[in-house]
Amino acid sequence: MKRKYLSTPYIIWVIGFTLFPLITIAVSAFTNDDGAFTWDNIVAISEPINRQALLFSLAIAFGCTLICILLAYPTALFLKSFRFKRKGFTIFLLVLPMWMNFILRILAWQMILSKNGILNFILGKFGLTPLAISNTWIALMIGMVYDFLPYMILPIFNAISDIDEDLIEAARDLGAGSFTVFRKIIFPLSMPGMLSGVVMVFVPAMTSFVIADILGGGKLQLIGNIIEQEFMKSMNWHLGAGLSISLMLLVLIGLAFTMRNDMEEKGTAIW
Amino acid sequence: MKKVIYAAAILLFGIFALGGCGKEEPKEYLTVFNYGEYMDPDVIDQFTEETGIGIKYEEALTPEELYAKYSSGAISYDLVCSSDYMIQRLIQEGEAQKVDFSSMEYADNIGDRFWEFSRAFDPNNEYALPYFYGTIGILYDTTKVNGPIDSWGVLFDGSYKNDIIMQNSQRDTFMITLKYLGYSLNTSDEGELREAQELLIKQKPDVQAYLVDEARDEVVAGNAAMAVVYSGEAYLGHEYNENLAYVVPKEGSNVWIDSWIVTKNCKNIEAAQKFLDFLCREDIATKNFEYIYYSTPNEAVVANMDEELKNDPAITPTEEDMRNCEVCTQIDEDVVTLYNELWKELKADGGE
C-alpha cells in the first residue's frame, strides 16, 4: 500500500514527460498534413541532405566521445590516486562550472575563439599568428568536449573508486606490474563506468543543436539543427517529428549494441 | 488545456489589476495586443487618464506567437499590432474591421509613402495603421572597407573574405540576393529563387557566420567588417562604436511596417479609434519613438527630430533609400516549401 503512494510522482512524471510527449511525437511522425498515415517522415532521414547531416553528427559525436575518454580516463585515475583529505573538493571543482547555465558557457567560448577574441589576443601578445577557428567544426568540437567532459569523468571515476583495493594488491602479490594491473584489473572493471560515460556524452553530442548554432556560426548543420529548423522555421512538425523518431531509433540500436555485453555483467549503471 | 491556462492567467492578471487601482475604475476597456517593449508604458497610463478608457495590455514576442495566441480565442482582443505579413494574414482571414482613418484627427501625421507601402498588404488602406517601420541594410565598419558602400554587391564580389555576417533567416537572406539580382523579393519564380541560391552557395565560403541577434555585435566588436542587419539594430550599434555606418543599398531592400488593426471582435469601435488617434498624436508618437528608436512613419515627429537622428539612414531613410524597397507579403505554401529546401541545401553545402 505504502509503496503505491511512493510511486505517484514517478508515474505522473513518466506519463506526463516521457510517454505523453513520445506519443505526440510518434503520432506527428507517422501522419502527414491531412492526418493520413505515412512512412515518408521516417524515411526522410535517408535523403541526401539529412543523411549528410546525420553522418556529420555521427562523426562529431564520435570524435567528441573519443576525446572525452582520452581526457577523462587519466583524470579519473589521477583523482583516484589523489591522497588529499578532501577528495570531494577536487571533484567539486570539476563540477562547479556545470552550475552555470550552459548556454552562457558556450557564449563565453564564442568570445574566446572569435577573431578578435581572447585566444587570439593572447596569441598576439606572444607574437603568434592568430587562429581562425571560430565558426568551424573545431570550435564546435571544443565546445562539446568542454561541455560534456564532466559527464565522462564522473562515471569513470566512480567505477574506478569502486574497485576493491584487495584485488589490486592480490594482483601485485602475484607479480603483476603496474601495466598488467591496469590492463587486467582496473580497465575491465572500469568499463561499466566508461559505457555510462559514453552514453551520457555520445547521445547529447549526437542530438544537440545549440552548440552548433552558437559556435558554428550557422554554417554547420548537425541533424539536430535540421530537426530544429523543421520545427521552428519550416513549421513542418511532421517531418521534424519523423526525423526525431528515426534519430531516436538509431541511437537506441547503437546503444543496445554497445551495452549488449555490459548488461549481462552489471546492468546499466548510469551514474 | 490552453484555455484553462489562459483563464488562470487572466484571473491572476485581474487580481493584480484590481489590487493596483484603488481609485476610480474605468467604465470601458480596450484589450490591446502588441509586441513586448513596443510601447512606452506611460502612454497607456496617459490614455486612461485623458479618456477614462482602461487598457488591458497583452504582449507577444514574435508574429507567430502573436498569431497563435490571437487565434486560440482565449482572449478577445480589440486592437492588434503586428508585422506586415501577419497583418495581411489577419486581414485575409477576415479578422480585421474597417477603420475610418479620415475621421481621425491625427492620422494625417502618417506620411503618404507609408500608406502607399501599406497597400502591399492592405490594398485600399482600410484596415491597417502604420506604427513603426524599418529597413534591412548593411552595417559596416568604415575603418575596414575601401570607401563608402552603396550596393549589395560587396557581399558577393569576394572582396571581403570571412569578414561578412549574413542573417540566419531564410526570407531575409534570399531577399538581399533577389534584390541584388534585380528581382522582386516576393517572387515565387523557381528559376529566380534557384539563381539566388546559387549565388548564396558561391558566397558561403566568404561568410564568417549566419547570425540573427549577434550580427550587429560582431561588427561592433570588430570581428567582421560588415553585417546584414535591421535598421533598428544598426542605430543601437552606433552607441558602442562610432566608426559604424548603415546603408540601404541602391538595389533596394525590404521595408517592414508594423501596423495596428481593429479586430472584428471589437465592440467599442469609437474607443479603439480614439486609441489609434492617440498613438498618432505628435507628443505620444514622440514618446513611443524615444522609447523604441525604430523609424517612425509619423512625419510630425520626424520634423521635430534632432538633426543627427534626421540624417541617420538607420532612423530616417530618405525617399532615395526607399525608392527600390518592397514590403514582404505572404508567399504561397509551395513557395515556402521551396524556400525551406533551398535553405537546407545552402546550409548543407560544404559540410563535412
Side-chain angles (χ1 to χ4, degrees):
Chain A
M1 193 63 189
K2 210 172 180 186
R3 190 176 293 169
K4 205 166 116 192
Y5 292 125
L6 286 177
S7 66
T8 320
Y10 173 80
I11 289 171
I12 292 176
W13 184 270
V14 167
I15 290 176
F17 300 109
T18 307
L19 288 180
F20 180 68
L22 260 183
I23 291 168
T24 321
I25 293 271
V27 168
S28 246
F30 286 104
T31 50
N32 59 19
D33 275 339
D34 306 324
F37 178 85
T38 175
W39 285 102
D40 292 354
N41 303 316
I42 305 292
V43 210
I45 194 109
S46 62
E47 281 167 18
I49 287 177
N50 298 337
R51 196 176 52 211
Q52 187 190 336
L54 182 70
L55 291 176
F56 181 48
S57 302
L58 262 175
I60 288 285
F62 186 77
C64 172
T65 311
L66 195 70
I67 296 174
C68 280
I69 292 176
L70 291 178
L71 292 174
Y73 214 97
T75 312
L77 282 176
F78 162 74
L79 285 174
K80 146 115 170 127
S81 66
F82 209 62
R83 294 294 172 204
F84 187 48
K85 266 184 282 179
R86 308 175 75 175
K87 195 179 270 183
F89 184 70
T90 51
I91 292 166
F92 166 73
L93 285 183
L94 214 60
V95 183
L96 187 62
M98 289 161 72
W99 293 6
M100 209 170 73
N101 182 286
F102 111 99
I103 305 254
L104 287 179
R105 286 182 284 131
I106 294 299
L107 283 171
W109 271 108
Q110 194 183 29
M111 303 271 183
I112 295 171
L113 298 176
S114 70
K115 207 166 164 187
N116 290 341
I118 297 165
L119 179 67
N120 280 340
F121 174 77
I122 295 170
L123 289 176
K125 285 276 169 215
F126 289 101
L128 298 165
T129 34
L131 295 171
I133 52 177
S134 67
N135 305 317
T136 65
W137 67 270
I138 301 173
L140 169 62
M141 192 66 105
I142 292 174
M144 279 199 175
V145 169
Y146 166 78
D147 198 49
F148 297 137
L149 188 59
Y151 297 100
M152 185 63 90
I153 295 178
L154 290 175
I156 294 181
F157 170 73
N158 280 343
I160 292 179
S161 302
D162 283 347
I163 296 174
D164 196 340
E165 283 294 326
D166 293 346
L167 288 176
I168 295 171
E169 275 170 29
R172 286 196 190 283
D173 281 349
L174 294 169
S178 297
F179 182 68
T180 313
V181 169
F182 176 75
R183 196 167 60 90
K184 293 271 187 190
I185 312 263
I186 297 180
F187 188 71
L189 287 177
S190 70
M191 274 309 272
M194 200 157 93
L195 283 174
S196 311
V198 168
V199 174
M200 280 190 291
V201 172
F202 187 84
V203 177
M206 182 78 198
T207 53
S208 84
F209 62 91
V210 180
I211 304 180
D213 250 1
I214 298 176
L215 293 177
K219 292 163 85 181
L220 301 173
Q221 191 143 262
L222 298 176
I223 189 69
N225 296 87
I226 294 213
I227 295 174
E228 191 234 356
Q229 195 198 333
E230 293 303 339
F231 275 104
M232 304 306 291
K233 299 212 178 100
S234 311
M235 293 292 165
N236 191 344
W237 288 26
H238 298 287
L239 184 53
L243 292 172
S244 305
I245 293 271
S246 315
L247 182 60
M248 224 182 272
L249 288 176
L250 285 173
V251 168
L252 267 180
I253 294 168
L255 285 185
F257 190 71
T258 323
M259 288 296 175
R260 206 180 37 185
N261 303 321
D262 186 48
M263 293 285 195
E264 290 158 14
E265 290 166 27
K266 221 190 157 187
T268 42
I270 281 288
W271 201 255
Chain B
M1 190 62 195
K2 242 181 192 166
K3 286 204 171 151
V4 177
I5 293 169
Y6 283 134
I10 295 164
L11 201 69
L12 266 175
F13 182 77
I15 291 166
F16 282 117
L18 285 177
C21 53
K23 42 184 180 177
E24 58 183 297
E25 190 80 2
K27 288 192 190 68
E28 344 172 54
Y29 276 102
L30 284 172
T31 308
V32 174
F33 199 16
N34 195 4
Y35 294 128
E37 299 274 307
Y38 213 30
M39 184 178 292
D40 188 333
D42 287 350
V43 166
I44 299 168
D45 294 343
Q46 197 178 335
F47 180 73
T48 307
E49 249 165 59
E50 286 186 21
T51 62
I53 302 167
I55 298 286
K56 292 176 184 164
Y57 194 71
E58 295 283 323
E59 293 184 350
L61 275 179
T62 64
E64 284 69 28
E65 185 192 331
L66 186 129
Y67 181 79
K69 277 191 183 168
Y70 179 86
S71 52
S72 81
I75 297 178
S76 175
Y77 302 102
D78 296 311
L79 288 149
V80 174
C81 169
S82 190
S83 311
D84 31 49
Y85 68 98
M86 202 47 88
I87 292 289
Q88 181 183 22
R89 184 167 175 180
L90 290 168
I91 292 174
Q92 280 172 359
E93 291 176 0
E95 293 296 335
Q97 63 173 293
K98 288 183 185 168
V99 180
D100 182 12
F101 294 116
S102 64
S103 73
M104 285 165 45
E105 200 174 336
Y106 303 105
D108 284 346
N109 284 345
I110 307 294
D112 289 340
R113 55 176 172 161
F114 303 103
W115 292 110
E116 278 311 308
F117 276 120
S118 274
R119 286 179 190 273
F121 49 90
D122 176 17
N124 301 317
N125 289 136
E126 294 166 316
Y127 301 102
L129 176 74
Y131 182 47
F132 278 101
Y133 76 101
T135 53
I136 294 177
I138 302 175
L139 178 71
Y140 61 99
D141 188 329
T142 49
T143 62
K144 291 191 171 153
V145 297
N146 317 314
I149 285 174
D150 68 343
S151 159
W152 294 118
V154 290
L155 302 174
F156 298 106
D157 64 12
S159 47
Y160 295 98
K161 287 198 187 309
N162 205 21
D163 241 352
I164 297 168
I165 308 283
M166 295 290 281
Q167 277 286 320
N168 197 12
S169 130
Q170 303 180 9
R171 203 71 205 270
D172 294 340
T173 295
F174 271 92
M175 175 284 285
I176 291 157
T177 324
L178 290 167
K179 279 310 218 181
Y180 175 59
L181 293 168
Y183 302 134
S184 163
L185 54 84
N186 291 315
T187 185
S188 51
D189 182 284
E190 183 167 347
E192 292 179 1
L193 286 168
R194 288 209 181 271
E195 198 182 331
Q197 186 213 27
E198 212 171 291
L199 192 59
L200 287 168
I201 288 178
K202 215 180 101 214
Q203 180 214 22
K204 196 179 173 191
D206 295 346
V207 175
Q208 191 184 93
Y210 297 87
L211 302 174
V212 183
D213 298 335
E214 308 95 338
R216 177 197 73 205
D217 302 343
E218 292 295 299
V219 184
V220 170
N223 289 327
M226 62 190 72
V228 175
V229 298
Y230 282 84
S231 51
E233 295 278 305
Y235 173 73
L236 293 170
H238 292 307
E239 313 233 307
Y240 303 105
N241 184 339
E242 54 186 22
N243 293 325
L244 301 187
Y246 176 80
V247 62
V248 182
K250 61 181 182 216
E251 293 91 352
S253 176
N254 167 220
V255 52
W256 53 265
I257 303 182
D258 290 343
S259 314
W260 288 96
I261 52 165
V262 177
T263 71
K264 67 165 192 233
N265 302 322
C266 175
K267 300 278 182 296
N268 196 344
I269 297 160
E270 202 185 321
Q273 288 208 17
K274 243 184 219 170
F275 185 72
L276 293 182
D277 209 12
F278 185 71
L279 290 180
C280 294
R281 214 170 76 189
E282 190 193 331
D283 58 324
I284 300 303
T286 305
K287 245 184 191 173
N288 277 331
F289 169 72
E290 285 170 355
Y291 186 73
I292 299 158
Y293 280 112
Y294 283 173
S295 307
T296 172
N298 194 308
E299 307 223 301
V301 176
V302 176
N304 294 319
M305 233 180 238
D306 293 347
E307 280 304 307
E308 198 190 327
L309 290 172
K310 220 189 260 182
N311 297 326
D312 186 339
I315 290 286
T316 325
T318 59
E319 300 260 353
E320 180 78 10
D321 290 333
M322 304 274 279
R323 199 184 43 200
N324 293 319
C325 288
E326 282 179 273
V327 174
C328 267
T329 54
Q330 285 267 54
I331 43 179
D332 291 340
E333 206 53 47
D334 48 330
V335 185
V336 173
T337 314
L338 177 63
Y339 258 98
N340 291 336
E341 279 308 305
L342 295 174
W343 183 251
K344 267 214 281 196
E345 284 167 23
L346 166 67
K347 285 309 196 71
D349 186 76
E352 278 78 357

